[in-house]
Amino acid sequence: MDIDVVYLLCLGLCLCYGGEEENEELPRPSISAWPSSVVKCKSNVTLRCWTHFQNVTVTLGKLHNSGYQQELRSAGKEAEFHLTNLQPEDAGGYFCAYRTATSHRWSGQSQHLQLVVTDGVGGGGGDPPRPSNSKLIFLATFSCLCISLLFVSIFFIYRRTQQVTLNDHVCKYEHEAGWGE
Ligand SMILES: *[C@@H]1O[C@H](CO)[C@@H](O)[C@H](O)[C@H]1NC(C)=O
Ligand SMILES: *[C@@H]1O[C@H](CO)[C@@H](O)[C@H](O)[C@H]1NC(C)=O
């Protein structure tokens, strides 16, 4: 019972402390990709940022790229950023944040959305691993075959050399026998 109380107290303190540390009046927005976060090269994607308030300024940022920023005003609770003609360098982590007309500070960042740009015509995210998998199987089979072939050839070479030395011996004996008579 005591332990439970201490645990709850601790949890409460931690939560309070965490909240204070962030010092956020605005709840974090959430981000999603439409139609998918895995998109083909040269296609388009829409990143939607859902904010808890209407009439806000929304910014879209990219991880490891502080120079990247898009900003727009949204009348509703949802802001849409249209990314078109996607290139491989557009892949990466995206996040959004917002600011209401009255707040001077930005909200905390949304979770990071990982955008994947595939270069294949097939497109699907599950496609790329499959070829590498079959490649691996092919490589394994090929090496197995090579190793067995090596063993077989070693065996044959060994047998042939044995036969040759045996024949040599026979010849020698015959020779010696011939000389003897
Ligand atoms: C992407 O968007 C551009 C401009 O909005 C449009 O011209 C193009 O057809 C779109 N491409 C695809 C694959 O939807
Ligand atoms: C949005 O903000 C503008 C001023 O920035 C204001 O004129 C307008 O009434 C606001 N709209 C809503 C729905 O709050």
Side-chain angles (χ1 to χ4, degrees):
M1 194 60 184
D2 275 352
I3 289 167
D4 279 4
V5 169
V6 169
Y7 176 72
L8 279 178
L9 205 80
C10 227
L11 192 74
L13 271 174
C14 289
L15 283 177
C16 283
Y17 194 75
E20 261 174 18
E21 201 176 42
E22 299 280 322
N23 198 14
E24 277 168 27
E25 298 108 36
L26 300 172
R28 289 164 184 268
S30 56
I31 192 169
S32 63
W34 188 88
S36 162
S37 58
V38 180
V39 289
K40 276 186 265 179
C41 197
K42 290 179 184 158
S43 68
N44 305 333
V45 73
T46 300
L47 299 186
R48 286 190 178 137
C49 186
W50 193 86
T51 59
H52 297 74
F53 301 100
Q54 290 183 339
N55 225 2
V56 292
T57 305
V58 185
T59 180
L60 181 73
K62 195 175 173 198
L63 286 178
H64 315 302
N65 187 352
S66 48
Y68 182 93
Q69 199 182 21
Q70 282 196 49
E71 207 171 291
L72 55 81
R73 281 196 66 84
S74 124
K77 286 188 174 181
E78 211 174 62
E80 291 189 344
F81 296 91
H82 301 284
L83 309 187
T84 57
N85 192 24
L86 288 165
Q87 299 300 314
E89 55 267 27
D90 292 323
Y94 288 85
F95 58 86
C96 65
Y98 67 97
R99 184 170 66 180
T100 63
T102 52
S103 72
H104 302 292
R105 303 183 54 164
W106 289 97
S107 72
Q109 290 175 3
S110 66
Q111 86 277 18
H112 299 148
L113 182 134
Q114 199 64 31
L115 188 70
V116 178
V117 179
T118 60
D119 53 352
V121 184
D127 267 358
R130 235 179 275 151
S132 68
N133 231 0
S134 61
K135 213 182 216 172
L136 214 94
I137 290 166
F138 173 76
L139 263 172
T141 317
F142 188 71
S143 355
C144 270
L145 258 167
C146 277
I147 288 166
S148 0
L149 225 97
L150 195 78
F151 271 110
V152 168
S153 27
I154 284 171
F155 177 71
F156 270 102
I157 288 166
Y158 177 73
R159 272 196 59 169
R160 277 198 74 154
T161 50
Q162 280 246 319
Q163 255 173 13
V164 167
T165 49
L166 219 106
N167 283 350
D168 272 2
H169 279 298
V170 170
C171 284
K172 248 186 203 165
Y173 279 124
E174 270 176 3
H175 213 61
E176 274 168 21
W179 266 104
E181 270 177 34

